Structures are given as structure tokens and as C-alpha cells.
């Protein structure tokens, strides 16, 4: 046998029955987004590397060390597998002048790629669902997005998710804070680790995000951005908070919440759980009013968030919540191969009526009849179907199909007396859909 090939480290196959939980989550998201009038957008998985370098910032974890970048073998173009989707959405919005007739509310779902150390809740291919509102400057849209995320947690039955909030102010306020921060860290240079020293002049704000326990006290006492915010920034922040309070959304202010990308301003937020260990942030976002301009579009305000699908599903599992696993309504039992033409025709009609049916099929390397009735009933039972449809010789000779409940339900005896298989199943399908 040839050497076995396996998936790339940190990139997972999502298999049934687990994939049903993904579909369940995606269905919930689609329905919820529709209720908030957010529309689906799908951008390419590969983008020019420059989009992320310019959009996310050169001195961010993602751009510095997490991107899957490569050169197009044929034309030498610098390309990158998207590590996030906000930059791609913004590029598409600018490229297609989508804001010419007003703001747009958009959402996406899909795989993202970051070269990180794989562990629970952290993968190299992972999936995000994101919502972005572009062209709206007001705090009401920041709040709408937070309410949308909160509604999603409720819809999914999640508990114990807390909201942390901060304001990053505007670029000139950040510059003043940055200068104060640099001089503070310079005065305490002996307490900085290597990474912090490297970041001191390139991205001192990211030092606040350090996970180094030896630097916590230093970081704790650093000048706070909130003290540098002007009136307009504070008013925007107050409006967001007032709307959340009016809606009963609990939050806590985390002055050290800075987020991993450079593009944020004003409101930033994260939804966090304590149930997933150190990978506890399930969703993060904020305002990014300067990103569109940054990547060459016409300036427009914007705000959005992205959630990690793997972490959300893990949290649901952790909290004992379960998505309904799909089961067919019926399993078709086929004692003789000679019945197959009638069986497939009948099942086609049944499916057209909206009934889900799993057909028994010969299994194994070589077809050798359909298998014993006993083994077929075993499979019918294992499928989780509510009913078995038995296409036996006796039934077919009479032009009928037997309907046998597998989960202790009752079926109308009249169903068995119908003359045509199609009529039998049509009648049965009708009663099934009527909830009998
Ligand atoms: P972290 O601090 O955990 O690395 P982040 O700040 O890099 O997260 P974002 O870029 O804000 O994360 O992405 C939004 C969400 O996507 C995160 O809150 C998380 O739920 C999820 N996420 C980010 N990176 C990964 C990954 N490598 N594997 C799985 N999920 C991820
Ligand atoms: Mg990260």
C-alpha cells in the first residue's frame, strides 16, 4: 500500500455527525442575520499580501508571524491565504463602490488561516463568522452589532459569556497616549522583556497586550488611553454604553483591551468565556473608520466583529448544549434487487414531497444481493429513522408498501391497504407532514 497521506497539521476535517452541528450553527446565523437585515458577502480566500500588510499593520502578530504567504509560481505575485476577512470585505466594498447609495450591512462565514501553534481552540485553518456594517458613523450601529452577537449567544443557548468593552479613541488621541506610553516604558526599560523592547517604538500599544506575567504590574500602572480621549470620543463611547444598558446587556470596561489589529478606533469589544481555558475569547470586534482609506478606498466609517466557530461549538459542547442531529424520516428496506426500479421511483416521489428517506444499498466491495431483512432492519434502526418502508415481494405484488414505525409510533392501518406504492407513500407522507 502507498504511504498514507494525512491532513496538514492544525487543519481539521469536519466529519458527520459533527458537521451537522456546524450546519445547525450556520442555519441559526443565517436566520438571525436576516432578522437584522445583514446580507451575505463572499470574498476570495487568497488575497494580495499587501492587503493584509497595509490593512492589519506591519507590526502585528498576524503579519509578523502568522500569515501563509507565497509567491504565485506563474507570475510572481505576492499572495496570502486570508488570516481574517475584514480586510477582504473592505477591499471588495471599495473595489465595487458598494457604498455609493448608502451604508451596507454584511456578514460572512468561512475558513481563515494563521500559522499558530495548534492547541485546543487554536488551529491553523479555523473558521470565522463575521458581521460588518460599513458607511455608518454612529454609536447606534456599534450597539446594534453587539446586540446581534448577544442575540446569537441566546439563540445558541450559550451561558456565561461576558462582554468587555473599551474605546481606543481617534488617531490624534492615540498619538498623544502613545508618546506618554513610550516615555513611561523608557523610564522603566529595565523591566521590559525582549519582545516589548522590540515593540517600544514600533507598536508600544501592543506591549499592553503582553502575556508575560513578569510585566503585568508594569502594564497595569501604564498611562491609560481613556484619559487621553476628547469630548467627541467620550460621547460616542457613552452612547454605546447607554444603548447597551437600556437593553440589559451587562459589560465591563477593560482599559487594556487593544485587539490584535492596528485598524481599530473608538469602540472595541470582546466576548469572553471562562469555560475554554486560555482560548476564552469567542468573538472580537470594533470600529475601523480609517481602514477603507488605508487600503485605497474612499474614506468611510465602519464597525464589525468576528467570532471563532470552533470555539463557539466547543463552548456549546462544554456546556452540554446539543444541536439536533439529522435523522431521515424513513429508511427504505429492499429485500430483492428486482424491486429497485420501483423503489427508486417511489423514493424520488417521496423526496419531492419533502420527506427525507435513506435507501438501503448493497454494501461492501462486491455487490451480493441486498442483505438479509434482519441486517436491513438493524441498519434502519441505526439510521435513527422514524419509519421503515418495506418494499417486500408480497407488498409489491399487491402494489403496496408496508410502513413500519421504528420508534413506537402508530400508523394508520388504511395506509397499508392502498393499491399503489406511490399512493401509499403519498398518503403516509401527508400524515407525516401533518405531524400525525
Ligand atoms: P487570540 O487572542 O485568541 O489569538 P485574536 O485576537 O487573534 O484571538 P481575532 O483576530 O480577533 O482573534 O479573531 C476573532 C476570533 O476568531 C477570536 O476571538 C477567536 O474566537 C477566533 N480565532 C482567532 N484565531 C484563531 C485560531 N487560530 N483558531 C481558532 N479560532 C481562532
Ligand atoms: Mg491571535
Amino acid at each position: 500500500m502507498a504511504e498514507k497521506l494525512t491532513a496538514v497539521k492544525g487543519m481539521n476535517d469536519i466529519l458527520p455527525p459533527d458537521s451537522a452541528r456546524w450546519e445547525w450553527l450556520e442555519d441559526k446565523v443565517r436566520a438571525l442575520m436576516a432578522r437584522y437585515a445583514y446580507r451575505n458577502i463572499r470574498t476570495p480566500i487568497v488575497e494580495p499580501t499587501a492587503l493584509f500588510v497595509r490593512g492589519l499593520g506591519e507590526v502585528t502578530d498576524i503579519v509578523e508571524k502568522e500569515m501563509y504567504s507565497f509567491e504565485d509560481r506563474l507570475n510572481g505575485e505576492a499572495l496570502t491565504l486570508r488570516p481574517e476577512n475584514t480586510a477582504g470585505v473592505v477591499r471588495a466594498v471599495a473595489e465595487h463602490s458598494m457604498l455609493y447609495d448608502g451604508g451596507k450591512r454584511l456578514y460572512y462565514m468561512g475558513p481563515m488561516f494563521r500559522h499558530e501553534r495548534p492547541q485546543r481552540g487554536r488551529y491553523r485553518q479555523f473558521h470565522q463568522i463575521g458581521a460588518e456594517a460599513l458607511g455608518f458613523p454612529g454609536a447606534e450601529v456599534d450597539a446594534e452589532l453587539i446586540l446581534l452577537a448577544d442575540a446569537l449567544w441566546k439563540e445558541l443557548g450559550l451561558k456565561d459569556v461576558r462582554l468587555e468593552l473599551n474605546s481606543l479613541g481617534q488617531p490624534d488621541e492615540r498619538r498623544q497616549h502613545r508618546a506618554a506610553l513610550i516615555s513611561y516604558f523608557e523610564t522603566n526599560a529595565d523591566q521590559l522583556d525582549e519582545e516589548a523592547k522590540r515593540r517600544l517604538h514600533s507598536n508600544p500599544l501592543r506591549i499592553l497586550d503582553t502575556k508575560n506575567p513578569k510585566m503585568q504590574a508594569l502594564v497595569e500602572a501604564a498611562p491609560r488611553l481613556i484619559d487621553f480621549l476628547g469630548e467627541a470620543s467620550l460621547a460616542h463611547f457613552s452612547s454605546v454604553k447607554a444603548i447597551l444598558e437600556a437593553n440589559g446587556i451587562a459589560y465591563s470596561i477593560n482599559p487594556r483591551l487593544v485587539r490584535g489589529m492596528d485598524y481599530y478606533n473608538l469602540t472595541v469589544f470582546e466576548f469572553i468565556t471562562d469555560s475554554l481555558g486560555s482560548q476564552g475569547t469567542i468573538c472580537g470586534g470594533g470600529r475601523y473608520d480609517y481602514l477603507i482609506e488605508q487600503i485605497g478606498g474612499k474614506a468611510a466609517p465602519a464597525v464589525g466583529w468576528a467570532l471563532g466557530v470552533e470555539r463557539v461549538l466547543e463552548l456549546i459542547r462544554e456546556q452540554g448544549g446539543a444541536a439536533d442531529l439529522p435523522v431521515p424520516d424513513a429508511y427504505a428496506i429492499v429485500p430483492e434487487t428486482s424491486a429497485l426500479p420501483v423503489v427508486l421511483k417511489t423514493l424520488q416521489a417521496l423526496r419531492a414531497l419533502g420527506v427525507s428517506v435513506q435507501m438501503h444499498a448493497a454494501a461492501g466491495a462486491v455487490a451480493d444481493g441486498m442483505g438479509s431483512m434482519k441486517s436491513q432492519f438493524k441498519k434502519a434502526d441505526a439510521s435513527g429513522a422514524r419509519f421503515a418502508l418495506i418494499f417486500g415481494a408480497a407488498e409489491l405484488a399487491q402494489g403496496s408498501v408496508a410502513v413500519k414505525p421504528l420508534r413506537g409510533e402508530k400508523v394508520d392501518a388504511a395506509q397499508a391497504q392502498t393499491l399503489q406504492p406511490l399512493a401509499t407513500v403519498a398518503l403516509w407522507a401527508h400524515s407525516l407532514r401533518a405531524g400525525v
Side-chain angles (χ1 to χ4, degrees):
M1 267 206 288
E3 192 192 338
K4 219 185 212 165
L5 291 168
T6 58
V8 175
K9 186 176 172 202
M11 305 200 181
N12 300 309
D13 298 311
I14 299 154
L15 312 171
D18 196 44
S19 53
R21 303 172 67 247
W22 285 69
E23 292 187 305
W24 170 84
L25 172 74
E26 290 158 4
D27 287 348
K28 294 263 185 202
V29 168
R30 283 193 189 96
L32 193 69
M33 292 294 176
R35 276 185 258 151
Y36 286 75
Y38 280 66
R39 306 298 174 216
N40 186 232
I41 182 167
R42 301 170 189 224
T43 62
I45 283 170
V46 178
E47 294 275 4
T49 301
L51 174 66
F52 303 113
V53 176
R54 264 156 74 184
L56 275 50
E58 223 152 330
V59 202
T60 54
D61 278 348
I62 294 178
V63 173
E64 273 188 335
K65 51 192 181 203
E66 294 174 2
M67 294 206 303
Y68 282 92
S69 297
F70 57 98
E71 207 173 86
D72 186 310
R73 270 203 290 171
L74 300 180
N75 62 13
E77 244 185 302
L79 302 175
T80 292
L81 298 185
R82 63 184 189 193
E84 57 91 82
N85 205 180
T86 299
V89 166
V90 166
R91 180 203 44 72
V93 163
E95 187 167 337
H96 304 288
S97 307
M98 285 174 68
L99 303 181
Y100 80 98
D101 61 346
K104 290 282 174 293
R105 291 174 164 91
L106 304 169
Y107 79 93
Y108 59 78
M109 316 189 190
M112 308 296 156
F113 302 84
R114 296 184 193 176
H115 198 100
E116 305 197 65
R117 193 170 64 78
Q119 54 196 291
R120 183 191 190 198
R122 193 176 294 285
Y123 309 100
R124 291 181 175 174
Q125 173 173 330
F126 64 101
H127 297 76
Q128 286 185 339
I129 293 172
E132 318 278 0
L134 302 105
F136 305 103
E140 67 275 15
V141 181
D142 308 30
E144 174 181 270
L145 277 157
I146 293 173
L147 292 173
L148 168 53
D150 183 75
L152 181 59
W153 314 145
K154 294 201 169 90
E155 191 71 34
L156 301 176
L158 292 184
K159 301 178 291 269
D160 303 326
V161 177
R162 63 173 195 278
L163 169 62
E164 291 192 353
L165 211 55
N166 191 21
S167 175
L168 299 182
Q170 298 292 10
D172 57 322
E173 296 157 354
R174 285 166 77 167
R175 267 192 292 276
Q176 289 172 35
H177 173 244
R178 186 188 142 105
L181 210 54
I182 290 176
S183 68
Y184 169 79
F185 284 130
E186 273 173 348
T187 348
N188 298 285
D190 53 323
Q191 295 177 56
L192 297 179
D193 63 17
E194 282 313 307
E195 194 177 27
K197 274 184 191 142
R198 202 163 46 78
R199 284 187 159 148
L200 182 53
H201 291 278
S202 56
N203 198 349
L205 211 63
R206 294 283 286 144
I207 299 177
L208 301 177
D209 217 17
T210 181
K211 287 179 175 120
N212 185 347
K214 288 196 192 118
M215 284 176 53
Q216 291 309 313
L218 180 71
V219 156
E220 210 75 62
R224 298 183 330 155
L225 176 59
I226 200 113
D227 299 322
F228 290 78
L229 298 192
E231 223 169 283
S233 294
L234 289 172
H236 187 99
F237 200 28
S238 298
S239 302
V240 174
K241 291 188 281 189
I243 297 172
L244 296 182
E245 280 156 30
N247 282 277
I249 307 288
Y251 62 83
S252 62
I253 305 289
N254 177 358
R256 289 174 47 202
L257 184 64
V258 294
R259 313 274 308 119
M261 284 70 114
D262 278 357
Y263 53 59
Y264 291 106
N265 68 303
L266 293 175
T267 321
V268 289
F269 54 88
E270 285 186 352
F271 287 94
I272 302 168
T273 170
D274 295 323
S275 313
L276 293 179
S278 52
Q279 269 61 251
T281 303
I282 58 168
C283 176
R287 195 158 262 291
Y288 50 93
D289 294 334
Y290 304 97
L291 180 59
I292 307 188
E293 223 179 342
Q294 184 100 16
I295 64 158
K298 189 161 160 283
V303 51
W305 53 247
L307 66 80
V309 177
E310 284 83 356
R311 292 188 196 177
V312 168
L313 286 173
E314 180 69 9
L315 184 58
I316 293 173
R317 196 180 294 123
E318 188 71 33
Q319 296 183 341
D324 294 333
L325 290 180
V327 292
D329 295 315
Y331 189 99
I333 301 223
V334 191
E336 297 293 339
T337 48
S338 60
L340 285 170
V342 181
V343 171
L344 274 97
K345 188 167 176 224
T346 307
L347 299 192
Q348 282 300 87
L350 204 46
R351 289 161 180 153
L353 288 166
V355 178
S356 73
V357 202
Q358 183 172 335
M359 181 184 71
H360 180 78
V366 183
D368 177 26
M370 300 302 290
S372 72
M373 287 290 270
K374 189 170 166 222
S375 75
Q376 290 197 40
F377 264 106
K378 235 176 163 168
K379 290 221 166 71
D381 200 48
S383 77
R386 288 169 60 195
F387 298 94
L389 298 177
I390 303 139
F391 291 82
E395 285 91 355
L396 286 181
Q398 287 175 31
S400 74
V401 175
V403 179
K404 184 176 182 298
L406 296 171
R407 313 265 167 244
E409 293 175 68
K410 297 231 167 354
V411 253
D412 192 335
Q415 287 175 342
Q417 288 163 16
T418 332
L419 289 176
Q420 296 290 324
L422 279 181
T424 304
V425 295
L427 194 68
W428 171 75
H430 180 76
S431 65
L432 187 72
R433 277 185 305 168
V436 177

